[in-house]
Amino acid sequence: MNDQSTCSPDDDRAADRRSANLRLALILASVATVFFVGFVAKIALLGGA
C-alpha cells in the first residue's frame, strides 16, 4: 500500500506552511537574541551611557 495515498495535498501544504513558520520564528528569535545580547554587552562594556 502506498503511504502517500493517506495524505491529502492540503495536509502537505499545511505541513510545509508549519515548517516554514517554524523556520521564520527561529530566525526572528535568533535576531532578537543577538540584538538583546548586543544591548546588554554595550551596557556592560560602556557603562550604560
Side-chain angles (χ1 to χ4, degrees):
M1 183 181 265
N2 190 355
D3 289 338
Q4 290 184 356
S5 64
T6 60
C7 292
S8 70
D10 289 337
D11 290 341
D12 291 340
R13 275 186 250 136
D16 289 343
R17 190 176 309 122
R18 194 169 24 250
S19 65
N21 286 343
L22 178 61
R23 184 173 34 245
L24 177 61
L26 291 174
I27 291 169
L28 291 176
S30 65
V31 169
T33 301
V34 167
F35 274 105
F36 178 73
V37 169
F39 182 72
V40 170
K42 175 187 171 283
I43 290 174
L45 295 174
L46 299 179

